[in-house]
Amino acid sequence: MNMTKQERMVDILTDLGYKPRIDKDGDIYFMYQMKHIYVIVNQPVETYYSVFMPIIYSVDEGEEQLVLAACNKMTREIRCMKTFLDSDYKKVSSVFEFYSTEADLRMQIKEALDTIVTASRLFSKQMKEIIDLKNE
């Protein structure tokens, strides 16, 4: 019997010790290192996955340009991860995107989780560097 993409991911996450749940959109969500993580499985390509971490940073009024510069810097430096200003311009989120064969999926999801969980720390570092450059 062939498993769905969602079932495969839930099995892997459960086997890794997490408690994945399915939201109303069919996405998988769980806690990883005290962070809310989503795995978006409803993608048009069967081998494509997105690991999403919402709200890694809250934007203060007037710092949108600095935030965009920090997002751009992170996206340039970490190839598989995109960091972006949400559509309300008040929050920054990150997504780690990858293609994977079924054989490599367990290893790939572990790498994605290890990378994305550092997003908020890396973003804060990027913001500090940009603010320092601006103040020189």
Side-chain angles (χ1 to χ4, degrees), residues 27-38:
D27 300 321
I28 302 162
Y29 68 97
F30 60 101
M31 295 293 290
Y32 177 71
Q33 295 187 8
M34 298 178 53
K35 308 267 190 232
H36 293 279
I37 304 290
Y38 291 82

Side-chain angles (χ1 to χ4, degrees), residues 82-113:
K82 296 176 186 169
T83 302
F84 54 92
L85 186 58
D86 290 345
S87 59
D88 65 2
Y89 303 106
K90 295 181 189 220
K91 300 177 291 291
V92 174
S93 297
S94 281
V95 63
F96 186 99
E97 300 173 318
F98 63 97
Y99 289 92
S100 182
T101 63
E102 193 167 336
D104 292 334
L105 187 54
R106 182 184 174 97
M107 177 194 62
Q108 292 278 36
I109 194 66
K110 287 168 77 174
E111 181 179 332
L113 291 172

Side-chain angles (χ1 to χ4, degrees), residues 39-95:
V39 179
I40 315 301
V41 293
N42 294 329
Q43 306 281 357
V45 178
E46 184 65 21
T47 58
Y48 184 79
Y49 298 86
S50 296
V51 178
F52 175 68
M53 187 166 65
I55 315 173
I56 65 166
Y57 185 85
S58 294
V59 180
D60 292 332
E61 189 172 326
E63 72 175 351
E64 293 85 359
Q65 286 183 325
L66 298 176
V67 165
L68 286 171
C71 288
N72 187 45
K73 191 170 189 313
M74 276 187 68
T75 298
R76 270 194 332 266
E77 292 178 0
I78 305 171
R79 297 277 180 210
C80 295
M81 191 166 73
K82 296 176 186 169
T83 302
F84 54 92
L85 186 58
D86 290 345
S87 59
D88 65 2
Y89 303 106
K90 295 181 189 220
K91 300 177 291 291
V92 174
S93 297
S94 281
V95 63

Side-chain angles (χ1 to χ4, degrees), residues 13 15-17 22 43 47 53-54 60 76 80 118 125 128 136:
L13 292 170
D15 189 48
L16 290 171
I22 310 298
Q43 306 281 357
T47 58
M53 187 166 65
D60 292 332
R76 270 194 332 266
C80 295
T118 64
K125 180 181 175 207
K128 182 182 180 328
E136 285 183 359

